[in-house]
Amino acid sequence: MALLTILTEKDPILRKRSRPVTEINDRILTLLDDMAETMRHAEGVGLAAVQVGVLRRVVVIECEPGQLIELINPVIVETSGLQRTREGCLSLPGKCGLTERPMKVTVEATNREGKHFCVTGTGLLAKAFCHEIDHLDGILYSDVAKKMLTPEEIRAGGADLES
Ligand code: ZN
């Protein structure tokens, strides 16, 4: 496995739309492994392939240690409720915003064996699904945030999501 470089806000690649994965080959499997290692090293809870410069619809999320979720071509199929919380992003280091996200999100995706599956998350996991899938369409949380926090407000309590 290898640590990948996480791109930051000013990199124009982050604004591009990622393409679907059409074949799960060794490159995609290596990408999944490297993304998980990179996310853990950066102490994030999620990472989209575009954040490491790969324009493919691939996401890893780990909100609970050891509970890695790998999503290939993920699509949000159902949402409900509302949460208004602090959100951050590994590509926007040092920043934090207030966002409104659904409280419960169901995602349909393909796993590394090529099988379709559905996964439902609430709270932090629901927020991570929205945040990462937005990345695949070139959207950053700062685009949808109700408010970006000042450094003083951030010091009073950081984000619970860096992804
Ligand atoms: Zn992010």
Side-chain angles (χ1 to χ4, degrees), residues 15-151:
R15 293 307 189 170
K16 296 206 154 98
R17 205 179 144 83
S18 297
R19 297 182 300 276
V21 173
T22 51
E23 185 202 352
I24 299 169
N25 52 27
D26 284 349
R27 274 189 66 194
I28 295 294
L29 298 179
T30 301
L31 175 66
L32 282 165
D33 291 342
D34 290 347
M35 283 173 61
E37 189 183 5
T38 303
M39 169 183 68
R40 287 168 177 155
H41 184 261
E43 297 183 350
V45 300
L47 194 68
V50 61
Q51 291 179 277
V52 294
V54 179
L55 286 168
R56 290 288 177 183
R57 300 184 86 81
V58 173
V59 162
V60 295
I61 293 172
E62 193 173 53
C63 290
E64 298 283 332
Q67 307 244 306
L68 179 66
I69 300 173
E70 297 175 327
L71 303 170
I72 298 168
N73 300 335
V75 178
I76 293 175
V77 292
E78 205 179 330
T79 66
S80 61
L82 185 74
Q83 55 179 324
R84 190 161 193 263
T85 56
R86 290 177 172 225
E87 193 161 326
C89 178
L90 293 174
S91 293
L92 280 68
K95 294 192 178 179
C96 182
L98 287 179
T99 60
E100 283 180 358
R101 300 288 197 183
M103 182 51 86
K104 188 174 173 189
V105 173
T106 300
V107 170
E108 215 173 85
T110 301
N111 69 11
R112 62 164 59 221
E113 279 87 39
K115 295 217 165 63
H116 291 278
F117 70 105
C118 266
V119 55
T120 299
T122 57
L124 181 60
L125 183 54
K127 184 160 62 163
F129 285 149
C130 296
H131 180 114
E132 300 312 332
I133 292 170
D134 273 354
H135 268 305
L136 303 181
D137 292 320
I139 298 164
L140 300 175
Y141 82 90
S142 49
D143 301 339
V144 298
K146 298 293 165 194
K147 177 183 187 301
M148 291 304 286
L149 300 184
T150 65

